[in-house]
Amino acid sequence: MTIQVDRTSVMPRRSQAGTPERKAEPWQPPLSAGGLADVLGLMRRWAWTEQHTEALLEDVALALDDVLAPSEEVIEDIVQRFRGHLMKLVDIAVSSLVWQGSAYANTLILRGRALRAEEMPGDYPRAVQHLRQMGWIVSELLDQLVACESIEGVA
């Protein structure tokens, strides 16, 4: 007499290597994309210090000086720093929802994004104009973030 045993109900199914196969639960992220963006914005806001503000204001002073425009050799470096300043300030403004409460802040964010994406003009007078536009937007956006209490560490 032959007894047949249904091994699948008693023993776990084995892979070809001889180890039991287990179904892994699909990984679920702890936060949605929006939640992660909010956390990143909070971290950037908390990470803003007086040194960031001082560096930013020194660049603004260089760009907006009425008497002496920066030389051709340093304009590109200052524009690159302004791109970084704009990226940080826009991220903070968006994550703290400043753009929803202030139409002016929203305009500054949109203009800042557009300026950041523009290539620096090749001729000196237009490069100075581009630099000054960036300096003005950075300065105004910083003022808006301070007024809305989205940035700490500003004296």
Side-chain angles (χ1 to χ4, degrees), residues 28-114:
Q28 295 294 323
L31 295 171
S32 66
L36 289 172
D38 291 344
V39 169
L40 178 61
L42 286 171
M43 291 173 65
R44 285 190 172 137
R45 198 171 347 150
W46 290 332
W48 189 268
T49 64
E50 282 192 46
Q51 287 98 5
H52 289 102
T53 303
E54 289 171 12
L56 181 146
L57 292 175
E58 286 174 12
D59 287 341
V60 168
L62 284 173
L64 300 181
D65 189 342
D66 287 340
V67 178
L68 185 64
S71 66
E72 288 185 61
E73 294 80 33
V74 298
I75 283 184
E76 190 167 347
D77 291 337
I78 300 170
V79 166
Q80 289 303 324
R81 290 196 303 262
F82 275 138
R83 285 189 173 125
H85 295 318
L86 278 171
M87 183 178 68
K88 289 176 187 174
L89 293 175
V90 167
D91 285 348
I92 291 169
V94 169
S95 68
S96 62
L97 304 177
V98 168
W99 59 275
Q100 288 180 340
S102 167
Y104 184 55
N106 190 40
T107 301
L108 292 170
I109 290 168
L110 295 174
R111 184 65 184 133
R113 284 178 171 163

Coordinates of all heavy atoms in Angstrom, one line a residue, residues 28-114:
Q28 N 7.2 49.6 2.0 CA 6.4 50.8 1.9 C 7.2 52.0 2.5 O 7.7 51.9 3.6 CB 5.1 50.6 2.8 CG 4.2 49.6 2.2 CD 3.6 49.9 0.9 OE1 3.3 51.1 0.6 NE2 3.5 48.9 0.0
P29 N 7.3 53.0 1.7 CA 8.1 54.2 2.2 C 7.4 54.8 3.4 O 6.2 54.8 3.5 CB 8.2 55.1 1.0 CG 7.0 54.7 0.1 CD 6.8 53.3 0.4
P30 N 8.2 55.3 4.4 CA 7.5 55.9 5.5 C 6.8 57.2 5.3 O 5.8 57.5 6.0 CB 8.7 56.2 6.5 CG 9.9 56.2 5.6 CD 9.6 55.4 4.4
L31 N 7.2 57.9 4.2 CA 6.5 59.1 3.8 C 6.2 59.2 2.3 O 7.0 58.6 1.6 CB 7.3 60.4 4.2 CG 7.6 60.6 5.7 CD1 8.7 61.7 5.9 CD2 6.3 60.9 6.4
S32 N 5.3 59.9 2.0 CA 5.0 60.2 0.5 C 6.1 61.2 0.0 O 6.8 61.7 0.8 CB 3.6 60.8 0.3 OG 3.5 62.1 0.9
A33 N 6.0 61.4 -1.3 CA 7.0 62.4 -1.9 C 6.8 63.7 -1.3 O 7.7 64.5 -1.0 CB 6.8 62.4 -3.4
G34 N 5.5 64.1 -1.1 CA 5.2 65.4 -0.5 C 5.7 65.5 0.9 O 6.2 66.5 1.4
G35 N 5.6 64.4 1.7 CA 6.0 64.4 3.1 C 7.6 64.5 3.1 O 8.1 65.2 4.0
L36 N 8.2 63.8 2.2 CA 9.7 63.9 2.2 C 10.1 65.3 1.8 O 11.1 65.9 2.4 CB 10.3 62.9 1.2 CG 10.2 61.5 1.6 CD1 10.7 60.6 0.5 CD2 11.1 61.2 2.8
A37 N 9.4 66.0 0.9 CA 9.7 67.4 0.5 C 9.5 68.3 1.7 O 10.3 69.2 1.9 CB 8.9 67.8 -0.7
D38 N 8.5 68.1 2.5 CA 8.3 68.9 3.7 C 9.4 68.7 4.7 O 9.9 69.7 5.3 CB 7.0 68.5 4.4 CG 5.7 68.9 3.5 OD1 5.9 69.7 2.6 OD2 4.6 68.4 3.8
V39 N 9.9 67.5 4.9 CA 11.0 67.2 5.8 C 12.2 67.9 5.4 O 13.0 68.5 6.1 CB 11.2 65.7 6.1 CG1 12.5 65.5 6.8 CG2 10.0 65.1 6.8
L40 N 12.5 67.8 4.0 CA 13.7 68.4 3.5 C 13.6 70.0 3.7 O 14.6 70.6 4.0 CB 13.8 68.1 2.0 CG 15.0 68.7 1.3 CD1 16.3 68.3 1.9 CD2 15.0 68.4 -0.2
G41 N 12.5 70.5 3.4 CA 12.3 72.0 3.6 C 12.5 72.4 5.1 O 13.2 73.4 5.3
L42 N 12.0 71.6 6.0 CA 12.2 71.9 7.4 C 13.7 71.8 7.8 O 14.2 72.7 8.5 CB 11.5 70.9 8.3 CG 10.0 71.1 8.4 CD1 9.3 70.0 9.1 CD2 9.6 72.4 9.0
M43 N 14.4 70.8 7.2 CA 15.8 70.7 7.5 C 16.6 71.9 7.0 O 17.5 72.4 7.6 CB 16.4 69.4 6.9 CG 15.8 68.1 7.7 SD 16.3 66.6 6.9 CE 18.0 66.6 7.1
R44 N 16.3 72.3 5.8 CA 16.9 73.5 5.2 C 16.7 74.7 6.0 O 17.5 75.5 6.2 CB 16.5 73.6 3.7 CG 17.2 72.6 2.8 CD 16.9 72.9 1.4 NE 17.7 72.0 0.6 CZ 17.3 71.5 -0.5 NH1 16.1 71.7 -1.0 NH2 18.0 70.7 -1.2
R45 N 15.4 74.9 6.4 CA 15.1 76.0 7.2 C 15.8 76.1 8.5 O 16.3 77.1 9.0 CB 13.6 76.0 7.5 CG 13.0 77.4 7.9 CD 11.5 77.4 7.9 NE 10.9 76.3 7.2 CZ 9.7 75.8 7.6 NH1 9.0 76.4 8.6 NH2 9.1 74.8 7.0
W46 N 15.9 74.9 9.2 CA 16.6 74.8 10.5 C 18.1 75.0 10.3 O 18.8 75.4 11.2 CB 16.3 73.5 11.2 CG 14.9 73.4 11.7 CD1 14.1 74.5 12.1 CD2 14.1 72.3 11.9 NE1 12.9 74.0 12.5 CE2 12.8 72.7 12.4 CE3 14.4 70.9 11.7 CZ2 11.8 71.7 12.7 CZ3 13.4 70.0 12.0 CH2 12.1 70.4 12.4
A47 N 18.6 74.6 9.1 CA 20.0 74.7 8.9 C 20.5 76.1 8.5 O 21.7 76.4 8.5 CB 20.4 73.7 7.8
W48 N 19.6 77.0 8.2 CA 19.9 78.4 7.9 C 20.5 79.1 9.1 O 19.9 79.0 10.2 CB 18.7 79.1 7.4 CG 19.0 80.4 6.8 CD1 19.1 81.6 7.4 CD2 19.4 80.7 5.4 NE1 19.4 82.6 6.5 CE2 19.7 82.1 5.3 CE3 19.6 79.9 4.3 CZ2 20.1 82.7 4.1 CZ3 20.0 80.5 3.1 CH2 20.2 81.9 3.0
T49 N 21.7 79.7 8.9 CA 22.3 80.3 10.1 C 22.7 81.8 9.7 O 22.5 82.2 8.6 CB 23.6 79.6 10.4 OG1 24.5 79.7 9.3 CG2 23.4 78.1 10.7
E50 N 23.2 82.5 10.7 CA 23.6 83.8 10.5 C 24.7 83.9 9.4 O 24.8 84.9 8.7 CB 24.0 84.5 11.8 CG 22.9 84.9 12.6 CD 23.3 85.8 13.8 OE1 24.1 86.8 13.6 OE2 22.8 85.6 14.9
Q51 N 25.6 82.9 9.4 CA 26.7 82.9 8.4 C 26.1 82.8 7.0 O 26.6 83.5 6.1 CB 27.6 81.7 8.6 CG 28.5 81.8 9.8 CD 28.0 81.1 11.0 OE1 27.0 80.4 10.9 NE2 28.6 81.2 12.1
H52 N 25.0 82.1 6.8 CA 24.4 82.0 5.5 C 23.9 83.4 5.1 O 24.1 83.9 4.0 CB 23.2 81.1 5.4 CG 23.6 79.6 5.5 ND1 23.5 78.9 6.6 CD2 24.0 78.8 4.5 CE1 23.9 77.7 6.4 NE2 24.2 77.6 5.1
T53 N 23.3 84.1 6.1 CA 22.7 85.4 5.8 C 23.9 86.4 5.5 O 23.8 87.2 4.6 CB 21.9 85.9 7.0 OG1 20.9 84.9 7.2 CG2 21.3 87.3 6.8
E54 N 24.9 86.3 6.3 CA 26.0 87.3 6.1 C 26.7 87.1 4.7 O 27.0 88.1 4.0 CB 27.1 87.1 7.2 CG 26.6 87.6 8.6 CD 27.5 87.2 9.7 OE1 28.7 86.8 9.4 OE2 27.1 87.4 10.9
A55 N 26.9 85.8 4.3 CA 27.5 85.6 3.0 C 26.5 86.1 1.9 O 27.0 86.7 0.9 CB 27.7 84.1 2.8
L56 N 25.3 85.8 2.1 CA 24.3 86.3 1.1 C 24.3 87.8 1.0 O 24.3 88.4 -0.1 CB 22.9 85.7 1.5 CG 21.7 86.1 0.6 CD1 20.7 84.9 0.6 CD2 21.0 87.3 1.0
L57 N 24.3 88.5 2.1 CA 24.2 89.9 2.1 C 25.5 90.5 1.6 O 25.5 91.6 0.9 CB 23.9 90.5 3.5 CG 22.5 90.2 4.0 CD1 22.3 90.6 5.5 CD2 21.4 90.8 3.1
E58 N 26.6 89.9 1.8 CA 27.9 90.4 1.2 C 27.8 90.3 -0.3 O 28.2 91.2 -1.0 CB 29.1 89.6 1.7 CG 29.5 89.9 3.2 CD 30.5 89.0 3.7 OE1 31.2 88.2 2.9 OE2 30.8 89.0 4.9
D59 N 27.3 89.2 -0.8 CA 27.1 89.1 -2.3 C 26.1 90.1 -2.8 O 26.3 90.7 -3.9 CB 26.6 87.6 -2.7 CG 27.7 86.6 -2.5 OD1 28.9 87.0 -2.5 OD2 27.4 85.4 -2.4
V60 N 25.0 90.3 -2.1 CA 24.1 91.3 -2.5 C 24.7 92.7 -2.6 O 24.5 93.5 -3.5 CB 22.8 91.4 -1.6 CG1 22.0 92.6 -1.8 CG2 22.0 90.1 -1.8
A61 N 25.5 93.0 -1.6 CA 26.2 94.3 -1.6 C 27.2 94.5 -2.8 O 27.2 95.5 -3.4 CB 27.0 94.5 -0.3
L62 N 27.9 93.4 -3.1 CA 28.7 93.4 -4.3 C 27.9 93.6 -5.6 O 28.3 94.4 -6.4 CB 29.5 92.1 -4.4 CG 30.6 91.8 -3.5 CD1 31.2 90.4 -3.7 CD2 31.8 92.8 -3.8
A63 N 26.8 93.0 -5.7 CA 26.0 93.0 -6.9 C 25.3 94.4 -7.0 O 25.1 94.9 -8.2 CB 25.0 91.9 -6.9
L64 N 24.8 94.9 -5.9 CA 24.0 96.1 -6.0 C 24.7 97.4 -5.7 O 24.1 98.5 -5.6 CB 22.8 96.0 -5.1 CG 21.8 94.8 -5.4 CD1 20.7 94.8 -4.4 CD2 21.4 94.8 -6.8
D65 N 26.0 97.4 -5.6 CA 26.8 98.6 -5.4 C 26.6 99.6 -6.5 O 26.8 99.3 -7.7 CB 28.3 98.2 -5.3 CG 29.2 99.4 -4.8 OD1 28.8 100.5 -4.9 OD2 30.3 99.1 -4.4
D66 N 26.2 100.8 -6.1 CA 25.9 101.8 -7.1 C 27.1 102.4 -7.8 O 27.1 102.9 -8.9 CB 25.1 103.0 -6.4 CG 23.7 102.6 -6.1 OD1 23.2 101.7 -6.7 OD2 23.1 103.3 -5.2
V67 N 28.2 102.4 -7.0 CA 29.4 103.1 -7.5 C 30.3 102.2 -8.4 O 30.7 102.6 -9.5 CB 30.3 103.6 -6.3 CG1 31.5 104.3 -6.8 CG2 29.4 104.6 -5.5
L68 N 30.5 101.0 -7.9 CA 31.5 100.1 -8.6 C 30.9 98.7 -8.9 O 30.6 98.0 -7.9 CB 32.7 100.0 -7.8 CG 33.9 99.2 -8.3 CD1 34.4 99.9 -9.6 CD2 35.0 99.1 -7.3
A69 N 30.7 98.4 -10.1 CA 30.2 97.1 -10.5 C 31.3 96.1 -10.4 O 32.5 96.5 -10.6 CB 29.6 97.1 -11.9
P70 N 31.0 94.8 -10.0 CA 32.1 93.8 -10.0 C 32.8 93.7 -11.3 O 32.2 93.9 -12.4 CB 31.4 92.6 -9.6 CG 30.1 93.0 -9.0 CD 29.7 94.3 -9.7
S71 N 34.1 93.3 -11.2 CA 34.8 93.1 -12.5 C 34.3 91.9 -13.2 O 33.7 91.0 -12.7 CB 36.3 93.0 -12.1 OG 36.5 91.8 -11.4
E72 N 34.7 91.9 -14.5 CA 34.3 90.8 -15.4 C 34.8 89.4 -14.8 O 34.1 88.4 -15.0 CB 34.8 90.9 -16.8 CG 34.1 92.0 -17.6 CD 34.6 92.1 -19.0 OE1 34.4 91.2 -19.7 OE2 35.2 93.2 -19.3
E73 N 35.9 89.4 -14.2 CA 36.5 88.2 -13.7 C 35.7 87.5 -12.5 O 35.7 86.3 -12.4 CB 37.9 88.4 -13.2 CG 38.9 88.8 -14.3 CD 38.9 90.3 -14.6 OE1 38.5 91.1 -13.8 OE2 39.1 90.6 -15.8
V74 N 35.0 88.4 -11.7 CA 34.3 87.8 -10.6 C 32.8 87.7 -10.8 O 32.1 87.1 -9.9 CB 34.6 88.7 -9.3 CG1 36.1 88.6 -9.0 CG2 34.1 90.1 -9.4
I75 N 32.3 88.3 -11.8 CA 30.8 88.3 -12.0 C 30.3 86.9 -12.1 O 29.3 86.5 -11.4 CB 30.4 89.1 -13.3 CG1 30.4 90.6 -12.9 CG2 29.0 88.7 -13.7 CD1 29.9 91.5 -14.0
E76 N 31.0 86.0 -12.8 CA 30.5 84.6 -13.0 C 30.4 83.9 -11.7 O 29.5 83.1 -11.4 CB 31.3 83.9 -14.0 CG 30.7 82.5 -14.4 CD 31.3 81.9 -15.6 OE1 32.0 82.6 -16.3 OE2 31.0 80.7 -15.8
D77 N 31.5 84.1 -10.8 CA 31.5 83.5 -9.5 C 30.3 83.9 -8.6 O 29.7 83.1 -7.9 CB 32.8 83.8 -8.8 CG 34.0 83.1 -9.4 OD1 33.8 82.0 -10.1 OD2 35.1 83.5 -9.2
I78 N 30.1 85.2 -8.7 CA 29.0 85.8 -7.9 C 27.6 85.3 -8.4 O 26.8 84.9 -7.6 CB 29.0 87.3 -7.8 CG1 30.3 87.8 -7.3 CG2 27.8 87.9 -7.0 CD1 30.5 89.3 -7.4
V79 N 27.5 85.2 -9.7 CA 26.2 84.6 -10.3 C 26.0 83.2 -9.8 O 24.9 82.8 -9.4 CB 26.2 84.8 -11.8 CG1 25.1 83.9 -12.4 CG2 26.0 86.2 -12.2
Q80 N 27.1 82.4 -9.8 CA 27.0 81.0 -9.3 C 26.5 81.0 -7.9 O 25.7 80.2 -7.5 CB 28.3 80.3 -9.5 CG 28.6 80.0 -11.0 CD 27.5 79.2 -11.7 OE1 26.9 78.3 -11.1 NE2 27.3 79.5 -12.9
R81 N 27.1 81.8 -7.0 CA 26.7 81.9 -5.6 C 25.3 82.3 -5.5 O 24.5 81.7 -4.7 CB 27.6 82.8 -4.8 CG 29.0 82.3 -4.7 CD 29.8 83.0 -3.6 NE 30.0 84.4 -3.7 CZ 31.0 85.0 -4.3 NH1 32.0 84.3 -4.7 NH2 31.1 86.3 -4.3
F82 N 24.8 83.3 -6.3 CA 23.4 83.7 -6.3 C 22.5 82.5 -6.7 O 21.4 82.4 -6.1 CB 23.1 84.9 -7.2 CG 23.4 86.2 -6.5 CD1 24.1 87.2 -7.2 CD2 23.0 86.4 -5.2 CE1 24.3 88.4 -6.6 CE2 23.2 87.7 -4.6 CZ 23.9 88.6 -5.3
R83 N 22.9 81.7 -7.6 CA 22.1 80.5 -8.0 C 21.9 79.6 -6.8 O 20.8 79.1 -6.5 CB 22.8 79.8 -9.2 CG 22.6 80.5 -10.5 CD 23.0 79.7 -11.7 NE 22.6 80.4 -12.9 CZ 23.5 80.7 -13.8 NH1 24.8 80.4 -13.7 NH2 23.1 81.3 -14.9
G84 N 23.0 79.4 -6.0 CA 22.9 78.6 -4.8 C 22.0 79.3 -3.8 O 21.2 78.6 -3.1
H85 N 22.2 80.6 -3.6 CA 21.3 81.3 -2.6 C 19.8 81.2 -3.0 O 19.0 80.9 -2.2 CB 21.7 82.8 -2.6 CG 23.0 83.1 -2.1 ND1 23.6 82.5 -1.0 CD2 23.9 84.0 -2.5 CE1 24.8 83.0 -0.8 NE2 25.0 83.9 -1.6
L86 N 19.6 81.4 -4.3 CA 18.2 81.3 -4.8 C 17.6 79.9 -4.6 O 16.4 79.8 -4.2 CB 18.1 81.7 -6.3 CG 18.1 83.2 -6.6 CD1 18.2 83.4 -8.1 CD2 16.8 83.8 -6.1
M87 N 18.4 78.9 -4.9 CA 17.9 77.5 -4.7 C 17.5 77.3 -3.2 O 16.4 76.8 -3.0 CB 19.0 76.5 -5.1 CG 18.5 75.1 -5.0 SD 19.7 73.9 -5.5 CE 21.0 74.1 -4.3
K88 N 18.3 77.7 -2.3 CA 18.0 77.5 -0.9 C 16.8 78.3 -0.5 O 15.9 77.8 0.2 CB 19.2 77.9 0.0 CG 20.4 77.0 -0.1 CD 21.6 77.5 0.7 CE 22.8 76.6 0.4 NZ 24.0 77.2 1.1
L89 N 16.8 79.6 -0.8 CA 15.7 80.5 -0.4 C 14.3 80.0 -1.0 O 13.3 80.0 -0.3 CB 16.0 81.9 -0.8 CG 17.1 82.6 0.0 CD1 17.4 84.0 -0.6 CD2 16.9 82.6 1.5
V90 N 14.4 79.6 -2.3 CA 13.1 79.2 -2.9 C 12.6 77.9 -2.3 O 11.4 77.7 -2.0 CB 13.3 79.0 -4.5 CG1 12.2 78.2 -5.1 CG2 13.4 80.4 -5.1
D91 N 13.6 77.0 -2.0 CA 13.2 75.7 -1.3 C 12.5 76.0 0.1 O 11.5 75.4 0.5 CB 14.4 74.8 -1.1 CG 14.8 74.1 -2.4 OD1 14.0 74.1 -3.3 OD2 15.9 73.5 -2.4
I92 N 13.1 77.0 0.8 CA 12.6 77.3 2.1 C 11.2 78.0 1.9 O 10.3 77.7 2.7 CB 13.6 78.3 2.9 CG1 14.8 77.5 3.3 CG2 12.9 78.9 4.1 CD1 16.0 78.4 3.8
A93 N 11.1 78.9 1.0 CA 9.8 79.6 0.8 C 8.7 78.6 0.4 O 7.6 78.7 0.8 CB 10.0 80.6 -0.3
V94 N 9.0 77.6 -0.5 CA 8.0 76.7 -0.9 C 7.7 75.7 0.2 O 6.5 75.4 0.4 CB 8.6 75.9 -2.2 CG1 7.7 74.7 -2.5 CG2 8.6 76.8 -3.4
S95 N 8.7 75.2 0.9 CA 8.4 74.3 2.0 C 7.7 74.9 3.2 O 6.9 74.2 3.9 CB 9.7 73.6 2.5 OG 10.5 74.5 3.2
S96 N 7.9 76.2 3.4 CA 7.2 76.9 4.5 C 5.9 77.5 4.0 O 5.2 78.2 4.8 CB 8.1 77.9 5.2 OG 8.4 78.9 4.2
L97 N 5.5 77.3 2.8 CA 4.2 77.7 2.2 C 4.1 79.3 2.2 O 3.0 79.8 2.2 CB 3.0 77.1 2.9 CG 3.0 75.6 2.9 CD1 1.8 75.0 3.7 CD2 3.0 75.0 1.5
V98 N 5.2 80.0 2.2 CA 5.2 81.4 2.2 C 4.5 81.9 0.9 O 3.8 82.9 0.9 CB 6.6 82.0 2.3 CG1 6.7 83.5 1.9 CG2 7.2 81.8 3.7
W99 N 4.7 81.2 -0.2 CA 4.2 81.6 -1.5 C 2.6 81.6 -1.5 O 2.0 82.3 -2.2 CB 4.7 80.6 -2.6 CG 4.3 79.2 -2.3 CD1 5.0 78.3 -1.6 CD2 3.2 78.5 -2.9 NE1 4.4 77.1 -1.6 CE2 3.2 77.2 -2.4 CE3 2.1 78.9 -3.7 CZ2 2.3 76.2 -2.7 CZ3 1.2 77.9 -4.0 CH2 1.3 76.6 -3.5
Q100 N 2.0 80.8 -0.6 CA 0.6 80.8 -0.5 C 0.0 82.0 0.2 O -1.1 82.5 -0.1 CB 0.1 79.5 0.2 CG 0.2 78.3 -0.6 CD -0.3 77.1 0.1 OE1 -0.4 77.0 1.3 NE2 -0.6 76.0 -0.6
G101 N 0.8 82.5 1.2 CA 0.3 83.6 2.0 C 0.7 85.0 1.4 O 0.2 86.0 1.9
S102 N 1.6 85.0 0.5 CA 2.1 86.3 0.0 C 2.2 86.2 -1.6 O 3.0 85.5 -2.1 CB 3.4 86.6 0.6 OG 4.0 87.7 -0.1
A103 N 1.4 87.0 -2.2 CA 1.5 87.1 -3.7 C 2.9 87.6 -4.1 O 3.4 87.2 -5.1 CB 0.4 88.0 -4.3
Y104 N 3.4 88.6 -3.3 CA 4.7 89.1 -3.7 C 5.8 88.0 -3.5 O 6.7 87.9 -4.4 CB 5.0 90.3 -2.7 CG 6.3 91.0 -3.0 CD1 6.6 91.5 -4.3 CD2 7.3 91.2 -2.1 CE1 7.8 92.1 -4.6 CE2 8.5 91.8 -2.3 CZ 8.7 92.3 -3.6 OH 9.9 92.9 -3.9
A105 N 5.7 87.2 -2.5 CA 6.7 86.1 -2.3 C 6.6 85.1 -3.5 O 7.6 84.7 -4.0 CB 6.5 85.4 -1.0
N106 N 5.4 84.9 -3.9 CA 5.2 84.0 -5.0 C 5.8 84.5 -6.3 O 6.4 83.8 -7.1 CB 3.7 83.7 -5.2 CG 3.4 82.6 -6.2 OD1 4.1 81.6 -6.2 ND2 2.4 82.8 -7.1
T107 N 5.6 85.8 -6.5 CA 6.2 86.5 -7.7 C 7.8 86.4 -7.6 O 8.4 86.1 -8.6 CB 5.8 88.0 -7.8 OG1 4.4 88.0 -7.9 CG2 6.4 88.7 -8.9
L108 N 8.3 86.6 -6.4 CA 9.8 86.5 -6.3 C 10.3 85.1 -6.5 O 11.3 84.9 -7.1 CB 10.2 87.0 -4.8 CG 10.0 88.4 -4.5 CD1 10.2 88.7 -3.0 CD2 10.9 89.3 -5.4
I109 N 9.5 84.1 -6.1 CA 9.9 82.7 -6.3 C 9.9 82.4 -7.8 O 10.9 81.8 -8.3 CB 8.9 81.8 -5.5 CG1 9.1 81.9 -4.0 CG2 9.1 80.3 -6.0 CD1 8.0 81.2 -3.2
L110 N 8.9 82.8 -8.5 CA 8.8 82.5 -9.9 C 9.9 83.2 -10.7 O 10.6 82.7 -11.5 CB 7.4 82.9 -10.5 CG 6.2 82.1 -9.9 CD1 4.9 82.7 -10.4 CD2 6.4 80.7 -10.3
R111 N 10.1 84.5 -10.3 CA 11.2 85.3 -11.0 C 12.6 84.7 -10.6 O 13.5 84.6 -11.5 CB 11.1 86.8 -10.6 CG 12.1 87.6 -11.3 CD 11.8 87.7 -12.8 NE 12.8 88.5 -13.4 CZ 13.5 88.1 -14.5 NH1 13.2 87.0 -15.1 NH2 14.4 88.8 -15.0
G112 N 12.8 84.3 -9.4 CA 14.0 83.7 -9.0 C 14.3 82.4 -9.7 O 15.5 82.2 -10.1
R113 N 13.3 81.6 -9.9 CA 13.5 80.3 -10.7 C 13.9 80.6 -12.1 O 14.8 80.0 -12.7 CB 12.2 79.5 -10.6 CG 12.0 78.8 -9.3 CD 10.8 78.0 -9.3 NE 10.7 77.2 -8.1 CZ 9.6 76.6 -7.7 NH1 8.4 76.8 -8.3 NH2 9.6 75.9 -6.6
A114 N 13.2 81.6 -12.7 CA 13.5 82.0 -14.1 C 14.9 82.5 -14.2 O 15.7 82.2 -15.1 CB 12.5 83.0 -14.6

